[in-house]
Amino acid sequence: MGFVENVRLLPHRTMRSLLISLSHRRSLARLAVRSPLTRPVVARFVAGETLAEALPAIAALKLAGFRTTVDVLGESVTAPEHAAAAVDRYLATIAALSERGLDANVSVKLTQMGLGINREMCRANVTRIVDAAGGVSGFVRFDMEDHTRTDATLQVWRAAHDAYPMVGVVIQSALRRSSDDVDAIIAVGGRVRLCKGAYDEPASVAYRTKAAVDANYARLMERLLLADVHPAIATHDPRLIAKAIQITERDGIAPDRFEFQMLYGIRRDLQRTLLDRGYTVRIYVPYGQEWYPYFMRRLAERPANVGFMLRAILKEETRRVRGR
């Protein structure tokens, strides 16, 4: 049995931890980005490396009846000029979406805005994006990263929300603190995208079993739906989706008072089914050259693609070594 096959047989949690760890390896990122063999798998999850490549995919989703939110990929920048360049990409994206009559709705990671460099610089960068969205009646969602950034992300979101209410934030059901965070956000009328969480967090701050994460998701989802704050139910889990529908039908919550959100390229059949049933389905569409960390987290959630990806990378590495 080869290395790739052995890796595929790892327990799911071990595989997930391994892939999340690999998502931080810059050497592997450079290798993966260079390899043409990774493109077919990456293209399933990422709409392109440039805005020009992504716009047709976004337009096609609108034509099919879906709503969209766009993520200009990138995170954990280490220089102010890189954060400024990311802001410029977001401004260009918002302008292009608005000009084409597409949803001027974007999702932003604060470490891409310079959160790890200087908090005030990050706030200033975020303000530029929120102001641009406000100018075209758009929407900005602050993605949540690992638990060490939760407080800072909520603080930046709260300041932005005070200035422009059409900003939202992500809450992860994997974190033990999320119940209190949801209550605080509901109290000010904030809009939450509820997800499970894509980071390998310690047991001191997070639930470590799927059953516990799912149970917390169901509790938080019901609270958000009943609070009538237009939550985004971000999951591909059919059981949780069925639970959401059950709650809304039981309590007479109309389909326009919440939305389902799903990732680009994942469970397209389920996306279509929900849309055909009259629900709002918003697709999270990422694009950009910095796709490797995002892609590895998607692999961590979907191990079936791991074998193909590993074979592609190992084949490229073998060619590189032989070519020395």
Side-chain angles (χ1 to χ4, degrees), residues 86-141:
V87 174
D88 289 341
R89 288 193 291 273
Y90 267 100
L91 298 184
T93 299
I94 291 169
L97 293 171
S98 177
E99 289 166 2
R100 289 163 176 77
L102 303 172
D103 286 335
N105 185 312
V106 296
S107 295
V108 179
K109 285 183 173 58
L110 294 189
T111 60
Q112 189 182 15
M113 299 294 105
L115 182 65
I117 305 170
N118 180 281
R119 186 74 59 85
E120 291 308 311
M121 180 189 72
C122 176
R123 288 178 185 270
N125 286 335
V126 165
T127 297
R128 292 180 63 199
I129 294 173
V130 171
D131 285 349
V136 295
S137 300
F139 187 89
V140 179
R141 180 88 63 179

Coordinates of all heavy atoms in Angstrom, one line a residue, residues 86-141:
A86 N -4.6 44.3 -0.8 CA -5.8 43.5 -0.6 C -7.0 44.4 -0.6 O -8.1 44.1 -1.2 CB -5.7 42.7 0.7
V87 N -6.9 45.5 0.1 CA -8.0 46.5 0.1 C -8.4 47.0 -1.3 O -9.5 47.0 -1.7 CB -7.7 47.7 1.0 CG1 -8.8 48.8 0.9 CG2 -7.5 47.3 2.4
D88 N -7.3 47.3 -2.1 CA -7.6 47.7 -3.4 C -8.3 46.6 -4.3 O -9.1 47.0 -5.1 CB -6.2 48.1 -4.1 CG -5.6 49.4 -3.6 OD1 -6.4 50.1 -2.9 OD2 -4.4 49.6 -3.7
R89 N -7.9 45.4 -4.0 CA -8.6 44.3 -4.8 C -10.1 44.2 -4.4 O -10.9 44.0 -5.2 CB -7.9 43.0 -4.5 CG -6.5 42.8 -5.2 CD -6.0 41.4 -5.2 NE -5.6 41.0 -3.8 CZ -4.4 41.2 -3.3 NH1 -3.5 41.8 -3.9 NH2 -4.2 40.7 -2.1
Y90 N -10.4 44.4 -3.1 CA -11.8 44.4 -2.7 C -12.5 45.6 -3.2 O -13.7 45.5 -3.7 CB -11.8 44.4 -1.1 CG -11.9 43.1 -0.6 CD1 -10.8 42.4 0.0 CD2 -13.1 42.3 -0.6 CE1 -10.9 41.1 0.5 CE2 -13.2 41.1 0.0 CZ -12.1 40.5 0.5 OH -12.2 39.2 1.0
L91 N -11.9 46.8 -3.3 CA -12.6 47.9 -3.9 C -12.9 47.7 -5.3 O -14.0 48.1 -5.8 CB -11.7 49.2 -3.7 CG -11.4 49.6 -2.2 CD1 -10.6 50.9 -2.2 CD2 -12.6 49.8 -1.4
A92 N -11.9 47.1 -6.1 CA -12.2 46.8 -7.5 C -13.3 45.8 -7.6 O -14.1 45.9 -8.6 CB -10.9 46.3 -8.1
T93 N -13.3 44.8 -6.7 CA -14.3 43.8 -6.8 C -15.7 44.4 -6.5 O -16.7 44.1 -7.3 CB -14.0 42.7 -5.7 OG1 -12.8 42.1 -6.1 CG2 -15.1 41.6 -5.7
I94 N -15.9 45.2 -5.5 CA -17.2 45.8 -5.2 C -17.6 46.6 -6.4 O -18.8 46.6 -6.8 CB -17.0 46.6 -3.9 CG1 -16.8 45.7 -2.7 CG2 -18.3 47.5 -3.7 CD1 -16.5 46.4 -1.4
A95 N -16.7 47.4 -7.0 CA -17.1 48.3 -8.1 C -17.5 47.4 -9.3 O -18.6 47.7 -9.9 CB -15.9 49.2 -8.5
A96 N -16.8 46.4 -9.6 CA -17.1 45.5 -10.7 C -18.5 44.8 -10.5 O -19.3 44.7 -11.4 CB -16.0 44.5 -11.0
L97 N -18.7 44.3 -9.3 CA -20.0 43.7 -9.0 C -21.2 44.6 -9.2 O -22.2 44.3 -9.8 CB -20.0 43.1 -7.6 CG -19.0 42.0 -7.3 CD1 -18.9 41.7 -5.8 CD2 -19.4 40.7 -8.1
S98 N -21.0 45.8 -8.6 CA -22.1 46.8 -8.7 C -22.3 47.2 -10.2 O -23.5 47.3 -10.6 CB -21.7 48.0 -7.9 OG -22.7 49.0 -8.0
E99 N -21.3 47.4 -10.9 CA -21.4 47.9 -12.3 C -22.2 46.8 -13.2 O -22.9 47.2 -14.1 CB -20.0 48.1 -12.9 CG -19.4 49.4 -12.4 CD -17.9 49.5 -12.7 OE1 -17.4 48.5 -13.4 OE2 -17.2 50.4 -12.3
R100 N -22.0 45.6 -12.8 CA -22.6 44.5 -13.6 C -23.9 44.0 -13.0 O -24.5 43.1 -13.5 CB -21.6 43.3 -13.7 CG -20.4 43.6 -14.6 CD -19.3 42.6 -14.3 NE -18.2 42.8 -15.2 CZ -17.3 43.8 -15.1 NH1 -17.4 44.7 -14.1 NH2 -16.3 43.9 -16.0
G101 N -24.4 44.7 -12.0 CA -25.7 44.3 -11.5 C -25.7 43.0 -10.7 O -26.7 42.4 -10.5
L102 N -24.5 42.7 -10.2 CA -24.3 41.5 -9.4 C -24.4 41.9 -7.9 O -24.3 43.1 -7.5 CB -23.0 40.8 -9.7 CG -22.8 40.4 -11.2 CD1 -21.4 39.9 -11.4 CD2 -23.8 39.3 -11.6
D103 N -24.5 40.9 -7.0 CA -24.6 41.2 -5.6 C -23.2 41.9 -5.1 O -22.2 41.2 -5.2 CB -24.8 39.9 -4.8 CG -26.2 39.4 -4.9 OD1 -27.1 40.2 -5.1 OD2 -26.4 38.2 -4.7
A104 N -23.3 43.1 -4.6 CA -22.2 43.8 -4.1 C -22.0 43.3 -2.6 O -22.2 44.1 -1.7 CB -22.3 45.3 -4.2
N105 N -21.7 42.1 -2.5 CA -21.6 41.4 -1.2 C -20.3 40.7 -1.1 O -20.0 39.8 -2.0 CB -22.8 40.4 -1.1 CG -22.9 39.7 0.3 OD1 -21.9 39.3 0.8 ND2 -24.1 39.7 0.8
V106 N -19.5 41.1 -0.1 CA -18.1 40.5 0.0 C -17.9 40.0 1.4 O -18.5 40.4 2.4 CB -17.0 41.5 -0.4 CG1 -17.2 41.9 -1.8 CG2 -17.1 42.7 0.6
S107 N -17.0 39.0 1.5 CA -16.6 38.4 2.8 C -15.1 38.7 2.9 O -14.3 38.5 2.0 CB -16.8 36.9 2.8 OG -18.2 36.7 2.7
V108 N -14.7 39.2 4.1 CA -13.4 39.7 4.4 C -12.7 39.0 5.6 O -13.4 38.9 6.7 CB -13.4 41.2 4.6 CG1 -12.0 41.8 4.9 CG2 -14.0 41.9 3.4
K109 N -11.5 38.6 5.5 CA -10.7 38.1 6.6 C -9.9 39.3 7.2 O -9.1 39.9 6.4 CB -9.8 37.0 6.3 CG -10.6 35.7 6.1 CD -9.6 34.5 5.8 CE -10.4 33.2 5.7 NZ -11.5 33.2 4.8
L110 N -9.9 39.5 8.5 CA -9.2 40.6 9.1 C -7.7 40.5 9.1 O -7.0 41.5 9.1 CB -9.8 40.9 10.5 CG -11.2 41.4 10.5 CD1 -11.6 41.9 11.9 CD2 -11.5 42.5 9.5
T111 N -7.2 39.3 9.1 CA -5.8 39.1 9.0 C -5.2 39.6 7.7 O -4.1 40.0 7.5 CB -5.3 37.7 9.3 OG1 -5.9 36.8 8.4 CG2 -5.7 37.3 10.7
Q112 N -6.1 39.5 6.6 CA -5.7 40.1 5.3 C -5.7 41.6 5.3 O -5.0 42.2 4.5 CB -6.7 39.5 4.3 CG -6.3 39.8 2.8 CD -7.3 39.3 1.9 OE1 -8.5 39.0 2.2 NE2 -7.0 39.2 0.6
M113 N -6.5 42.2 6.3 CA -6.5 43.6 6.4 C -5.4 44.2 7.3 O -5.4 45.4 7.5 CB -7.9 44.1 6.9 CG -9.0 43.7 6.0 SD -9.1 44.5 4.4 CE -8.5 43.2 3.3
G114 N -4.6 43.3 7.8 CA -3.5 43.7 8.7 C -3.7 43.6 10.2 O -3.0 44.2 10.9
L115 N -4.7 42.8 10.6 CA -5.0 42.6 12.0 C -3.7 42.2 12.8 O -3.5 42.7 13.9 CB -6.1 41.6 12.2 CG -6.6 41.4 13.6 CD1 -7.2 42.6 14.2 CD2 -7.5 40.2 13.7
G116 N -2.9 41.4 12.2 CA -1.7 40.9 12.9 C -0.6 41.9 12.9 O 0.5 41.6 13.5
I117 N -0.7 43.0 12.2 CA 0.4 44.0 12.1 C 0.1 45.2 13.0 O 0.9 45.5 13.9 CB 0.5 44.5 10.7 CG1 0.8 43.3 9.7 CG2 1.7 45.5 10.6 CD1 0.7 43.7 8.2
N118 N -1.1 45.7 12.8 CA -1.5 46.9 13.6 C -3.0 47.0 13.6 O -3.7 47.1 12.5 CB -0.9 48.2 13.0 CG -1.2 49.4 13.7 OD1 -2.3 50.0 13.6 ND2 -0.3 49.9 14.5
R119 N -3.6 47.1 14.8 CA -5.1 47.0 14.9 C -5.7 48.3 14.3 O -6.7 48.2 13.6 CB -5.5 47.0 16.4 CG -6.9 46.8 16.7 CD -7.4 45.4 16.4 NE -6.7 44.4 17.2 CZ -7.1 44.0 18.4 NH1 -8.1 44.6 19.0 NH2 -6.4 43.1 19.0
E120 N -5.1 49.4 14.5 CA -5.7 50.7 13.9 C -5.6 50.7 12.4 O -6.5 51.2 11.7 CB -5.1 51.9 14.5 CG -5.4 52.1 16.0 CD -6.9 52.1 16.2 OE1 -7.6 52.8 15.5 OE2 -7.4 51.3 17.1
M121 N -4.5 50.2 11.9 CA -4.4 50.1 10.4 C -5.5 49.1 9.8 O -6.1 49.4 8.8 CB -3.0 49.5 10.0 CG -2.8 49.4 8.5 SD -1.2 48.6 8.1 CE -1.7 46.9 8.6
C122 N -5.7 48.1 10.5 CA -6.7 47.1 10.1 C -8.1 47.8 10.1 O -8.9 47.7 9.1 CB -6.7 45.9 11.0 SG -8.1 44.7 10.7
R123 N -8.4 48.6 11.1 CA -9.7 49.3 11.2 C -9.8 50.2 10.0 O -10.9 50.4 9.4 CB -9.8 50.0 12.5 CG -10.0 49.1 13.7 CD -10.1 50.0 15.0 NE -10.2 49.3 16.2 CZ -11.3 48.9 16.8 NH1 -12.5 49.2 16.2 NH2 -11.3 48.2 17.9
A124 N -8.7 51.0 9.7 CA -8.8 51.9 8.6 C -9.0 51.2 7.3 O -9.8 51.7 6.4 CB -7.5 52.7 8.6
N125 N -8.3 50.1 7.1 CA -8.5 49.3 5.9 C -10.0 48.8 5.7 O -10.6 48.9 4.7 CB -7.5 48.1 5.8 CG -6.1 48.6 5.5 OD1 -5.9 49.6 4.9 ND2 -5.2 47.8 6.0
V126 N -10.5 48.3 6.8 CA -11.9 47.8 6.9 C -12.8 49.0 6.5 O -13.8 48.8 5.8 CB -12.2 47.2 8.2 CG1 -13.7 47.0 8.4 CG2 -11.5 45.8 8.4
T127 N -12.6 50.1 7.1 CA -13.5 51.3 6.9 C -13.5 51.6 5.4 O -14.6 51.9 4.8 CB -13.0 52.5 7.7 OG1 -13.0 52.2 9.1 CG2 -13.8 53.7 7.4
R128 N -12.4 51.5 4.7 CA -12.4 51.8 3.2 C -13.3 50.8 2.5 O -14.1 51.2 1.6 CB -11.0 51.7 2.7 CG -10.0 52.8 3.1 CD -8.7 52.6 2.5 NE -8.7 52.7 1.0 CZ -7.8 52.2 0.2 NH1 -6.8 51.5 0.7 NH2 -7.9 52.3 -1.1
I129 N -13.3 49.6 2.9 CA -14.1 48.6 2.2 C -15.6 48.8 2.5 O -16.5 48.7 1.7 CB -13.7 47.1 2.6 CG1 -12.3 46.9 2.0 CG2 -14.7 46.1 2.1 CD1 -11.7 45.6 2.5
V130 N -15.9 49.0 3.8 CA -17.3 49.2 4.2 C -17.8 50.5 3.6 O -19.0 50.5 3.1 CB -17.4 49.3 5.8 CG1 -18.8 49.8 6.2 CG2 -17.0 48.0 6.4
D131 N -17.0 51.5 3.5 CA -17.5 52.8 2.8 C -17.8 52.5 1.4 O -18.8 53.0 0.8 CB -16.4 53.9 3.0 CG -16.4 54.5 4.4 OD1 -17.3 54.2 5.2 OD2 -15.4 55.2 4.6
A132 N -17.0 51.7 0.7 CA -17.2 51.4 -0.7 C -18.5 50.6 -0.9 O -19.3 50.9 -1.8 CB -16.0 50.6 -1.3
A133 N -18.7 49.6 0.0 CA -19.9 48.8 0.0 C -21.1 49.7 0.3 O -22.2 49.6 -0.4 CB -19.9 47.7 1.0
G134 N -21.0 50.6 1.2 CA -22.1 51.5 1.6 C -22.5 52.4 0.4 O -23.7 52.7 0.2
G135 N -21.5 52.8 -0.4 CA -21.8 53.6 -1.5 C -22.6 53.0 -2.6 O -23.2 53.7 -3.5
V136 N -22.7 51.7 -2.6 CA -23.5 51.0 -3.6 C -24.5 50.1 -3.0 O -25.1 49.1 -3.6 CB -22.6 50.1 -4.6 CG1 -21.7 51.0 -5.4 CG2 -21.8 49.1 -3.8
S137 N -24.9 50.4 -1.7 CA -25.8 49.6 -0.9 C -25.5 48.1 -0.8 O -26.3 47.3 -1.0 CB -27.2 49.8 -1.5 OG -27.6 51.1 -1.5
G138 N -24.2 47.9 -0.7 CA -23.7 46.5 -0.6 C -23.6 46.0 0.8 O -24.1 46.6 1.8
F139 N -23.0 44.9 1.0 CA -22.9 44.2 2.3 C -21.5 43.6 2.5 O -20.9 43.1 1.5 CB -24.0 43.0 2.3 CG -24.1 42.4 3.6 CD1 -25.0 42.9 4.6 CD2 -23.3 41.3 4.0 CE1 -25.1 42.2 5.8 CE2 -23.4 40.7 5.2 CZ -24.3 41.1 6.1
V140 N -21.0 43.7 3.7 CA -19.7 43.2 4.0 C -19.8 42.2 5.2 O -20.5 42.5 6.2 CB -18.7 44.3 4.4 CG1 -17.4 43.7 4.8 CG2 -18.6 45.3 3.3
R141 N -19.3 41.0 5.0 CA -19.3 40.0 6.1 C -17.8 39.8 6.6 O -16.9 39.6 5.8 CB -19.8 38.7 5.6 CG -19.9 37.6 6.6 CD -21.1 37.6 7.4 NE -22.3 37.4 6.6 CZ -23.5 37.3 7.0 NH1 -23.8 37.5 8.3 NH2 -24.6 37.1 6.2

